[in-house]
Amino acid sequence: MAPASAFPILFITATRIGDAVLSSGLVKRLADEIPNARFTIVAGPDAAPLFAHVPGLARVIVMAKSPLGGHWFGLWRQVRRTKWGLIVDLRGSGISRFLSTRRRAIHRKGAQPAHKVLEAARTLRIDDEPAPPHIFTSPEVEALADELTAGAGPILALAPAANWIGKTWPAERFAQTAMRLLRDPGAPLYGGRIMVLGGPGDERLALALRDVSRKGFIDLAGKADLVTAFACLKRARLFIGNDSGAMHLAAAAGCPTLGLFGPSDERLYAPWGPDARVVRGPRNFDEIRAADPGFGQAICHMMDLRIETVVSAAKDLLKATERADAQ
């Protein structure tokens, strides 16, 4: 049972991994500013593991959607007996009106669309100093990441999967890009290793990249939990991936991140951070949406993104993020 001095916070975050990562900095901001905070985090099944190591964590409630909004009633039954100090509701629901709390911070859509990090910041009225995404780990997770990434040579992290075929760059193009960065004479990551990220069901994509790296292959696809993958990304030299949760994890980890965009709006979902970049083909988001208004077609909208474009952007990002230990 929490001590009497504890400040209980109910933090309701996203269902999708990427959205949860982009709003995760709010938890760190609150933890830094409220030393006695006790967090109850509510998240969808996919995103919930991101919050396993939050300091002052009371519990993580996994909220899976159910018909007729029954998941909200189920959540209310679990949290109604607590007198909350603060409820942060990033889903913009009305549940906090039926709970006892000293303060509410409820997400509201602004008049103009904004990046999701800025949208989250507005919920706490800190948009003048938005909280960058932050995932908490543990010494045990960091030790496991050291073990998984042990070896010589820089690591090129790749995430060739996405939640929809429309925004999935072909796996063979990832392979050819990796060869240009790792194996060509004078390649910026010559002699480096490949690390592949993905969730359950993405294992076949990892197999397609196994033979590219001659020096080492780190296969995390379907094998590492989200926080472990995040810790491993802190040890990578460069990340290249589709718009996905893995891309946002990479940027949050401080890994130089190149996000491949097509039918995604970088104005809202670009990877966040000083070492993060977006690359796309000749068509912008609005042009792609005009061709597929409902984004319901089972076709790839990334075919006009050329390998040469990605390789050039990757080399530029590597040059811009050269580190003293890599000289």
Side-chain angles (χ1 to χ4, degrees), residues 5 31 48 54 57 108 173 201 234 238 268 272:
S5 60
V54 168
L57 182 66
R108 295 283 184 262
R173 298 194 186 185
K234 292 199 283 186
L238 177 69
L268 307 182
W272 185 271

Side-chain angles (χ1 to χ4, degrees), residues 203-251:
E203 293 86 354
R204 60 180 181 79
L205 294 173
L207 290 175
L209 295 164
R210 182 176 293 276
D211 295 331
V212 176
S213 177
R214 292 173 174 168
K215 198 164 186 179
F217 186 77
I218 305 165
D219 183 4
L220 303 183
K223 299 176 176 63
D225 63 78
L226 292 174
V227 178
T228 300
F230 168 79
C232 289
L233 282 163
K234 292 199 283 186
R235 292 148 174 82
R237 180 63 184 90
L238 177 69
F239 170 93
I240 302 175
N242 303 311
D243 171 31
S244 65
M247 178 193 74
H248 293 298
L249 279 176

Side-chain angles (χ1 to χ4, degrees), residues 281-305:
R283 295 179 299 163
N284 62 32
F285 170 75
D286 293 326
E287 289 170 329
I288 295 175
R289 183 171 57 181
D292 185 7
F295 288 136
Q297 297 182 26
I299 59 173
C300 178
H301 289 293
M302 305 281 287
M303 298 304 292
D304 59 357
L305 177 56

Side-chain angles (χ1 to χ4, degrees), residues 1-326:
M1 186 168 179
S5 60
F7 187 85
I9 298 175
L10 180 64
F11 190 91
I12 304 172
T13 187
T15 297
R16 293 181 178 178
I17 294 170
D19 289 331
V21 172
L22 290 172
S23 62
S24 64
L26 298 188
V27 176
K28 184 177 189 304
R29 183 67 61 87
L30 291 169
D32 289 345
E33 295 184 356
I34 308 174
N36 59 336
R38 289 281 289 170
F39 290 95
T40 295
I41 309 286
V42 181
D46 292 337
L50 290 168
F51 302 96
H53 302 284
V54 168
L57 182 66
R59 64 187 295 206
V60 175
I61 297 176
V62 179
M63 187 171 71
K65 290 185 178 181
S66 58
L68 303 176
H71 48 287
W72 290 110
F73 181 66
L75 174 62
W76 176 79
R77 287 190 299 177
Q78 293 186 70
V79 301
R80 65 188 176 90
R81 297 185 185 278
T82 300
K83 292 186 177 180
W84 299 99
L86 170 66
I87 296 176
V88 179
D89 182 1
L90 295 175
R91 296 198 194 182
S93 75
I95 191 172
S96 66
R97 294 197 297 269
F98 303 96
L99 298 171
S100 174
T101 183
R102 291 166 55 186
R103 182 186 167 200
R104 298 172 178 84
I106 303 173
H107 174 264
R108 295 283 184 262
K109 285 188 177 181
Q112 297 296 325
H115 193 282
K116 294 302 178 180
V117 169
L118 294 175
E119 270 195 12
R122 288 172 183 169
T123 305
L124 290 184
R125 299 181 181 177
I126 58 170
D127 39 312
D128 57 334
E129 191 180 348
H134 183 89
I135 304 300
F136 290 96
T137 68
S138 69
E140 293 76 16
V141 169
E142 296 293 340
L144 177 57
D146 281 337
E147 181 181 333
L148 290 171
T149 60
I155 296 172
L156 170 62
L158 301 174
N163 62 3
W164 172 47
I165 189 174
K167 59 181 184 180
T168 305
W169 205 45
E172 60 271 18
R173 298 194 186 185
F174 275 96
Q176 293 179 56
T177 297
M179 291 182 69
R180 297 271 296 272
L181 295 172
L182 295 173
R183 290 171 54 173
D184 280 2
L189 297 177
Y190 187 79
R193 299 170 287 156
I194 286 179
M195 179 166 71
V196 181
L197 299 101
D202 296 330
E203 293 86 354
R204 60 180 181 79
L205 294 173
L207 290 175
L209 295 164
R210 182 176 293 276
D211 295 331
V212 176
S213 177
R214 292 173 174 168
K215 198 164 186 179
F217 186 77
I218 305 165
D219 183 4
L220 303 183
K223 299 176 176 63
D225 63 78
L226 292 174
V227 178
T228 300
F230 168 79
C232 289
L233 282 163
K234 292 199 283 186
R235 292 148 174 82
R237 180 63 184 90
L238 177 69
F239 170 93
I240 302 175
N242 303 311
D243 171 31
S244 65
M247 178 193 74
H248 293 298
L249 279 176
C255 175
T257 297
L258 186 63
L260 312 183
F261 275 60
S264 300
D265 193 343
E266 62 267 40
R267 294 167 293 189
L268 307 182
Y269 291 105
W272 185 271
D275 296 335
R277 307 285 188 274
V278 165
V279 64
R280 60 164 58 250
R283 295 179 299 163
N284 62 32
F285 170 75
D286 293 326
E287 289 170 329
I288 295 175
R289 183 171 57 181
D292 185 7
F295 288 136
Q297 297 182 26
I299 59 173
C300 178
H301 289 293
M302 305 281 287
M303 298 304 292
D304 59 357
L305 177 56
R306 300 169 63 240
I307 294 169
E308 291 75 13
T309 302
V310 176
V311 170
S312 177
K315 289 180 177 179
D316 288 344
L317 182 54
L318 285 168
K319 186 175 181 180
T321 56
E322 284 179 347
R323 299 166 181 165
D325 59 2

